[in-house]
Amino acid sequence: MIATPLTITIDHYEFNTVLTIRKAIRSDSGKYKLTLTNSSGTCDSIADVVVLDKPSRPSSIEAVEVRANHIKVTWNKPSDNGGSEITGYVIEKMDLETGRWIPAGETGPESPGNFKVTGLTPKKKYKIRVKAVNKEGESEPLEISDAILAKNPYDEPGRPGKPNIIDYDNKSVCLKWAKPSSDGGRPITHYTVEVKDKFSVEWTEMAKTENDTPEAKVDGLKENMVYQFRVRAHNKAGESEPSEPTDNHLCKHRHLNAMRKDTGKYTLLAVNESGRDQESLELTVLGKPSRPEGPLDVSNVTKTGCKLKWKKPADDGGSPIKEYEVEKLDLETGKWMRVGKIPGDRDEPEMNISGLDPGKEYKFRVTAVNDEGDSEPLVTEKSIIAKNPF
């Protein structure tokens, strides 16, 4: 079995002889026959030689469970333990975006081995590898052949329908909405309702349902504040995209069954066994204003500003117009942004707009506001490009 004499030395001493094999490798393990000869004859003996080394790498690694935040893998023990018992396994993971292997954990010597790799970021791709360990050190790693996407076998629900305000008072609203068209493959467990005031950009969770019934009551609102509401569906995979928000809602007492068109003169008739009496009265049902009268005229356009003019609403809702709110739409972003407001007592309302970005295309809209809420907006018929006229 010894093919390279240069790795062997034989040293003779007075009472013994020492045979040394240098640079021994694992494959040098086996049975060796030693023959001794002198003038009196020959004798021989067989010796079992075990060369200790690190183990060979494990075999047959497989991902048996994949979720958004963990991956469970199994493997079999190495074909060669290196001449000493396997003491455990080292598991490492690599996020393909970073390209760096980092420790995921260690486990005992049981075979087949298994380990749950945790701390993953959903929707990222990972590789996983395992190394066997004995007292001589760690084996070469066995790596999963293909990257694994950290993803549940089911998805988040679709977005719910736009909520409808079915009842309200000066401190709360009751909402109802349509369930998502898809539950993502797992049952919807509950919904959350988010709220923001009209001028805020931040949404805040204000209510959570106990089950998958698509309705909720939101308490803790402030009277005379204007709010919007939206809903998210939840299942085991997580939360959906938010629904389309409600229209602006003024938090106030509700006067049931009365509409703005019910405004007018009424005769009240009282009758009993002694006779009858009547009295006339004038009833005004308050409501939001009608939208400002158009057209919404845009003039004096420059690269940074313009001038807007419009007419008062035909109906102030029975309550004086407090102000007009003006917004701009950058057609590139598709988002409406508030640019200012003016008092509502002007007979011929107009506003100078500034802060436009040169060369960008804009639309504008104006909303009338009274104590009952906001009107529907008046929108420019055509867009304008912010540039100088020369």
Side-chain angles (χ1 to χ4, degrees):
M1 292 183 65
I2 302 172
T4 310
L6 295 177
T7 64
I8 304 172
T9 58
I10 301 176
D11 297 307
H12 300 283
Y13 300 96
E14 183 177 359
F15 297 106
N16 63 340
T17 298
V18 177
L19 171 66
T20 303
I21 304 175
R22 294 181 174 82
K23 299 181 181 179
I25 59 176
R26 179 68 179 149
S27 61
D28 290 333
S29 298
K31 292 183 180 294
Y32 285 77
K33 182 178 182 181
L34 179 64
T35 302
L36 302 178
T37 303
N38 63 13
S39 58
S40 301
T42 298
C43 70
D44 56 38
S45 181
I46 301 296
D48 280 323
V49 176
V50 178
V51 179
L52 300 179
D53 198 358
K54 302 172 184 177
S56 62
R57 68 180 189 172
S59 59
S60 306
I61 188 170
E62 180 184 4
V64 295
E65 181 178 287
V66 178
R67 295 292 185 268
N69 57 6
H70 76 263
I71 298 171
K72 187 175 181 180
V73 293
T74 63
W75 61 89
N76 291 323
K77 65 183 181 180
S79 58
D80 180 9
N81 66 5
S84 63
E85 291 184 358
I86 300 296
T87 58
Y89 295 91
V90 173
I91 300 91
E92 297 176 321
K93 63 183 178 182
M94 179 178 70
D95 178 347
L96 259 61
E97 287 187 8
T98 67
R100 292 186 294 107
W101 288 101
I102 61 173
E106 299 179 7
T107 188
E110 296 80 12
S111 181
N114 68 84
F115 188 80
K116 182 187 286 188
V117 179
T118 59
L120 308 183
T121 302
K123 305 296 176 67
K124 285 196 172 186
K125 287 187 175 182
Y126 290 88
K127 280 199 167 186
I128 298 170
R129 67 185 185 186
V130 180
K131 293 182 280 188
V133 182
N134 66 8
K135 65 181 182 180
E136 301 299 316
E138 297 179 351
S139 72
E140 290 296 311
L142 174 66
E143 183 178 318
I144 284 182
S145 56
D146 297 319
I148 301 171
L149 180 65
K151 177 184 178 298
N152 291 317
Y154 40 84
D155 296 312
E156 298 85 358
R159 64 192 306 208
K162 178 179 178 180
N164 293 315
I165 299 174
I166 58 175
D167 197 7
Y168 63 88
D169 59 25
N170 64 326
K171 293 182 180 179
S172 66
V173 298
C174 292
L175 303 171
K176 195 169 186 177
W177 56 89
K179 291 185 175 183
S181 58
S182 169
D183 64 7
R186 292 301 293 264
I188 292 172
T189 56
H190 65 280
Y191 296 90
T192 51
V193 181
E194 298 175 344
V195 182
K196 78 175 187 71
D197 70 61
K198 182 171 64 171
F199 299 117
S200 174
V201 296
E202 299 293 332
W203 290 87
T204 303
E205 183 179 317
M206 286 283 286
K208 178 180 176 180
T209 66
E210 295 182 355
N211 50 43
D212 65 343
T213 302
E215 56 185 65
K217 183 178 182 181
V218 182
D219 292 304
L221 305 180
K222 295 181 180 179
E223 190 170 5
N224 295 323
M225 289 285 288
V226 178
Y227 293 100
Q228 284 184 298
F229 305 89
R230 70 183 188 185
V231 182
R232 293 181 189 265
H234 296 252
N235 67 5
K236 193 172 181 180
E239 64 182 20
S240 71
E241 291 295 313
S243 69
E244 182 183 349
T246 62
D247 297 331
N248 289 330
H249 170 75
L250 177 66
C251 189
K252 62 175 183 176
H253 286 287
R254 183 174 188 181
H255 304 288
L256 298 178
N257 301 324
M259 302 176 64
R260 177 66 180 150
K261 66 181 181 180
D262 294 328
T263 297
K265 289 187 176 182
Y266 288 80
T267 298
L268 182 63
L269 179 63
V271 179
N272 65 13
E273 59 187 15
S274 300
R276 56 187 293 167
D277 195 9
Q278 68 180 39
E279 185 67 44
S280 295
L281 57 88
E282 188 165 337
L283 176 67
T284 300
V285 179
L286 302 180
K288 301 175 184 178
S290 60
R291 72 176 185 175
E293 293 289 298
L296 180 51
D297 181 61
V298 185
S299 61
N300 300 346
V301 178
T302 69
K303 66 179 182 180
T304 59
C306 63
K307 183 177 183 179
L308 300 180
K309 294 181 71 173
W310 62 94
K311 296 181 178 65
K312 298 189 299 182
D315 179 13
D316 65 4
S319 178
I321 303 296
K322 294 169 56 178
E323 62 190 21
Y324 295 97
E325 293 173 355
V326 181
E327 297 171 287
K328 66 180 179 182
L329 171 69
D330 181 343
L331 267 64
E332 187 176 302
T333 65
K335 294 182 179 179
W336 286 101
M337 292 184 60
R338 187 184 182 202
V339 295
K341 61 183 181 180
I342 65 168
D345 56 358
R346 299 182 182 180
D347 291 332
E348 296 184 357
E350 60 183 35
M351 183 176 181
N352 289 315
I353 306 297
S354 59
L356 304 183
D357 292 328
K360 288 200 171 183
E361 191 172 1
Y362 292 94
K363 277 193 165 187
F364 302 92
R365 68 183 183 187
V366 178
T367 305
V369 182
N370 69 6
D371 285 335
E372 301 302 307
D374 298 0
S375 72
E376 291 297 312
L378 172 66
V379 184
T380 50
E381 297 177 354
K382 296 180 180 180
S383 60
I384 61 103
I385 296 177
K387 64 178 183 178
N388 292 326
F390 48 84

